Amino acid sequence: MASAQSGTTPQARTFAQFLMTVEDDFDSSIQTAQDENVQPVEVEVGNDRPNNLVADQETSDFEELPASEPTPSRRSSSETTGSSLSREPTDGFSSSGNPTATPELTANEPPLSLADVVASLYRSYPEINRARIEGQVASGNLTSAYGSYDTKFQAFSLTEPTGFYRNSRNGLGVARQTWWGGYVSAGYRIGRGYYQPWYKERQTDDAGEFKVAFNQALLQGRAIDAERVAVFQARLAQQAVGPLVQQSILEISREATAAYWEWVATGAFLEAQRELLELAELRGEQYEAGVKAGKFAEIDLILNQQLIAERRTKQLESEQKFQATSFKLSLYLRDDAGRPLVPSAQWLPKQFPQIVAPEPMDFEAEFALALARRPEPQVLQYEVRQVDLERQLACNQMLPRLDFISEASQDMGEPATKADDKGEFELVIGFQSEVPIQRRKARGKLQSTAGKIQQINEKIRLVRNKIGAEIQVQNNSLQLATQIVRQSELSLQAALETLDRYRFAFERGKIDLIYLNLLETKVNETEIKLVEAQQTWFTSLAALQIALGIDPLEQAMTVSSLPPSDLPQAGSAGDRPTGQEPEPPENSDQPEDQDPEEDA
């Protein structure tokens, strides 16, 4: 009891007294280091922040990479990146490097950037290429629609070789439909032989007959008809290909960006677990030497071996997740041939880019620009225009059919009959009309198209509401993610400083391995939280940029050009290994073979 009151051991003191003693010893060691011109390790927090990443753009058109140009591969352009994904192209899902290798970069291997992944999407992602090919489909449909106005060549040759009236008829000509609902034709025919009295019009003079005909719709079919509707709709479908490609790029870029930052984060998790394991293995070597020298109890060595096994398990779990994210990222990262490319661990960035505090957003202005940029409302507007063409056609079909008809013909050569009734110039003009009394087809089509337009307008209104809500959600997420990163940074700095002080005490035998392990585990958890906060920040930034309809490739190049973050990187808990062999605890005067329970 007297020994406990004298305060000769850390267990006998209060926690506050013990902490003050450790801090005094730690401060004195730092002062000694300064006297010897040795700088202690410090974590600097940078204050320089570049401008806001969410750039304002006046147009929503994304620059597409021409298929004839070289593959952008790892970089969108040589000016911004200066490297290529043609790193030993391999087949399918094989990697040019071991994805589970130590994530350290060689001198000639630049880290994989977000711009590399997004540029690969633009070049060879199948879903985006499929959307681009839709332009070829629309072009073919437009050409097919114009086929209604093709010039048609017509010919016939008929013979009646038996019976009382034996004759032959031959003819040829051209005809086509006009744009304004008319029909024009011209031809030549010749008839030989004897004809029935009721088919005398089939007979021509010896040199044949030339004929020209022209029909023109005056009411129904003049302003618009089914053929012109097909052409207009095909043109609209062709114009809608651009927004469809943009929509595909935005959706896939969101997935690819999330996969990239997840890959970077899991790589940081793996690095942190690996350095903790290396620290425990180094400490195990020190304990083995200490046990052999009789300085430590064997229970300390066994406890450290248990710690090594636990940390190796954590490292294997992190490696498993890292491999999974590498395979997932290979769906978006492709080589020059368009095959999935599993990123090597040597391409892993050592740190996230520098966090940029976002500027306050003018929601009304950004929302208006987003509506102009986003492709979803544009696609629906094209759909409305297509249905409106059908409505206009239905309105036109409510009118009666009234056509102007004209026909002119002239026979040539010797008269075919004594009456010479074929030699004069013949002209036929007149009108032809038709109208369904109920007109149910037109009225039903008019009613259905009006309903479709209302449905699409409601869908447009919902899409606009969703875009506004998405912008607000992602902006709020980015603002809060910035604060979370800052708080996680402060938490990690405090945890690292605390760990340094307790490692200092552990090296002098004032605390045991169990307590130090708890602190190292806590620091590791804090590091992971900071990495997760950085991952969330960049994912939220990408989601906000996509919600605003900004070109993902341009924004990815902006993010990739940022300097590395000056926040403590993953594995900081292992950056300060004990520089000397730990001393036995101050109260460890019991023999080595003492019962562990009594020692506890």
Side-chain angles (χ1 to χ4, degrees):
M1 194 68 175
S3 176
Q5 293 177 354
S6 63
T8 57
T9 63
Q11 292 83 353
R13 307 181 187 126
T14 65
F15 181 77
Q17 294 173 339
F18 169 64
L19 186 60
M20 292 174 61
T21 303
V22 172
E23 290 179 347
D24 292 341
D25 294 343
F26 185 75
D27 294 339
S28 62
S29 67
I30 293 180
Q31 183 64 37
T32 303
Q34 292 176 346
D35 295 340
E36 297 175 357
N37 294 326
V38 178
Q39 297 295 332
V41 178
E42 296 181 358
V43 179
E44 298 181 357
V45 181
N47 296 322
D48 297 334
R49 305 288 189 186
N51 295 330
N52 189 13
L53 287 180
V54 183
D56 292 333
Q57 298 182 350
E58 298 300 331
T59 177
S60 63
D61 295 334
F62 298 162
E63 296 182 0
E64 299 184 9
L65 299 179
S68 60
E69 294 183 0
T71 304
S73 298
R74 280 285 310 277
R75 292 294 190 265
S76 58
S77 63
S78 59
E79 291 80 9
T80 58
T81 54
S83 65
S84 173
L85 267 187
S86 54
R87 305 170 184 254
E88 303 177 7
T90 55
D91 57 332
F93 281 86
S94 61
S95 173
S96 59
N98 184 4
T100 62
T102 303
E104 295 179 356
L105 298 176
T106 59
N108 58 350
E109 284 285 354
L112 179 68
S113 68
L114 180 61
D116 301 332
V117 179
V118 178
S120 176
L121 292 180
Y122 275 65
R123 178 62 181 88
S124 56
Y125 192 74
E127 189 67 19
I128 297 177
N129 289 340
R130 185 194 66 82
R132 290 195 180 107
I133 296 174
E134 190 66 26
Q136 178 181 348
V137 175
S139 179
N141 292 336
L142 179 60
T143 303
S144 177
Y146 273 114
S148 300
Y149 300 95
D150 288 348
T151 300
K152 303 173 182 63
F153 175 78
Q154 301 170 340
F156 66 90
S157 178
L158 303 174
T159 302
E160 294 185 27
T162 61
F164 184 80
Y165 298 100
R166 299 181 182 182
N167 57 70
S168 64
R169 307 188 306 274
N170 301 280
L172 54 86
V174 291
R176 64 160 297 176
Q177 182 175 341
T178 63
W179 181 255
W180 295 104
Y183 188 83
V184 61
S185 64
Y188 168 81
R189 69 184 181 93
I190 185 171
R192 295 276 193 253
Y194 299 96
Y195 293 89
Q196 299 87 338
W198 51 89
Y199 284 144
K200 283 294 185 178
E201 72 276 2
R202 296 178 177 177
Q203 190 177 25
T204 66
D205 287 345
D206 288 348
E209 176 193 66
F210 292 93
K211 179 183 289 188
V212 177
F214 174 71
N215 298 344
Q216 176 61 50
L218 300 179
L219 292 178
Q220 183 183 132
R222 183 180 183 277
I224 192 170
D225 55 17
E227 290 75 14
R228 275 174 283 177
V229 167
V231 171
F232 294 150
Q233 288 181 335
R235 283 181 177 176
L236 290 175
Q238 192 177 38
Q239 295 172 10
V241 171
L244 287 175
V245 173
Q246 294 177 11
Q247 184 176 356
S248 178
I249 289 176
L250 289 176
E251 293 175 355
I252 303 303
S253 296
R254 184 199 304 269
E255 300 173 4
T257 302
Y260 173 79
W261 293 124
E262 184 181 7
W263 175 70
V264 174
T266 53
F269 298 159
L270 177 59
E271 180 67 16
Q273 297 297 342
R274 181 180 290 116
E275 292 193 1
L276 274 182
L277 175 61
E278 292 174 353
L279 179 60
E281 291 174 344
L282 175 61
R283 190 177 291 136
E285 297 175 357
Q286 296 175 350
Y287 270 109
E288 288 180 2
V291 169
K292 292 180 181 179
K295 295 182 179 180
F296 300 103
E298 188 175 359
I299 186 62
D300 294 329
L301 178 60
I302 297 175
L303 179 61
N304 192 74
Q305 292 175 348
Q306 177 187 356
L307 181 61
I308 292 175
E310 291 176 352
R311 292 183 177 180
R312 182 172 288 115
T313 301
K314 289 289 187 181
Q315 187 240 348
L316 292 174
E317 292 175 352
S318 300
E319 188 172 353
Q320 182 185 43
K321 293 180 180 178
F322 178 67
Q323 290 182 12
T325 56
S326 298
F327 295 139
K328 182 178 179 181
L329 183 60
S330 68
L331 290 176
Y332 310 100
L333 182 66
R334 295 175 178 265
D335 59 15
D336 295 342
R339 297 170 298 186
L341 182 64
V342 180
S344 171
Q346 277 71 30
W347 301 353
L348 189 69
K350 293 184 178 180
Q351 289 180 294
F352 282 84
Q354 189 178 47
I355 297 295
V356 180
E359 299 176 357
M361 174 184 292
D362 184 356
F363 174 73
E364 294 298 333
E366 294 294 342
F367 179 60
L369 291 174
L371 291 179
R373 297 191 192 109
R374 289 286 291 266
E376 295 89 345
Q378 300 177 35
V379 173
L380 292 175
Q381 289 290 350
Y382 283 119
E383 188 175 346
V384 168
R385 293 171 62 181
Q386 288 180 330
V387 177
D388 185 65
L389 288 172
E390 297 180 1
R391 184 191 63 81
Q392 295 178 33
L393 178 61
C395 290
N396 184 263
Q397 290 175 344
M398 293 288 291
L399 300 173
R401 184 84 188 181
L402 180 62
D403 299 339
F404 171 74
I405 300 174
S406 63
E407 182 180 297
S409 61
Q410 176 67 61
D411 283 65
M412 308 295 291
E414 296 295 327
T417 62
K418 294 180 180 180
D420 193 15
D421 55 354
K422 297 288 186 178
E424 300 293 332
F425 176 76
E426 297 179 358
L427 177 64
V428 178
I429 58 175
F431 297 92
Q432 183 177 355
S433 180
E434 178 185 4
V435 57
I437 298 176
Q438 290 84 4
R439 292 180 293 184
R440 286 178 291 189
K441 181 179 180 179
R443 288 192 290 110
K445 190 67 174 178
L446 189 62
Q447 183 179 0
S448 65
T449 52
K452 289 181 180 179
I453 292 176
Q454 291 179 2
Q455 288 179 331
I456 300 175
N457 285 333
E458 291 298 322
K459 190 173 182 179
I460 292 176
R461 187 159 65 95
L462 179 60
V463 167
R464 290 179 175 177
N465 294 340
K466 286 184 176 181
I467 291 175
E470 185 179 0
I471 293 174
Q472 290 177 319
V473 168
Q474 300 303 335
N475 181 57
N476 178 70
S477 176
L478 184 63
Q479 297 288 346
L480 294 180
T482 305
Q483 301 180 28
I484 293 174
V485 169
R486 178 57 181 168
Q487 295 302 318
S488 300
E489 173 191 357
L490 296 177
S491 176
L492 180 58
Q493 290 176 352
L496 290 174
E497 184 178 354
T498 302
L499 179 61
D500 281 341
R501 294 178 182 271
Y502 277 94
R503 276 181 176 162
F504 179 80
F506 173 74
E507 292 172 359
R508 284 150 181 77
K510 297 182 179 180
I511 62 173
D512 56 15
L513 181 61
I514 297 178
Y515 197 77
L516 182 61
N517 175 38
L518 293 176
L519 290 175
E520 290 176 344
T521 303
K522 181 63 177 178
V523 171
N524 180 256
E525 293 174 354
T526 308
E527 291 175 348
I528 291 177
K529 289 181 179 178
L530 177 58
V531 172
E532 290 176 344
Q534 291 175 295
Q535 176 190 356
T536 302
W537 193 91
F538 283 101
T539 303
S540 300
L541 174 64
L544 176 60
Q545 293 167 347
I546 290 175
L548 293 172
I550 300 176
D551 185 0
L553 180 57
E554 180 176 347
Q555 294 304 310
M557 293 168 59
T558 302
V559 172
S560 301
S561 64
L562 292 176
S565 173
D566 51 9
L567 300 180
Q569 61 181 356
S572 300
D575 288 344
R576 300 167 176 81
T578 53
Q580 62 186 42
E581 181 178 320
E583 298 180 3
E586 294 180 2
N587 61 340
S588 58
D589 53 353
Q590 69 274 16
E592 180 179 348
D593 57 350
Q594 184 175 347
D595 187 2
E597 295 184 358
E598 295 180 2
D599 179 59

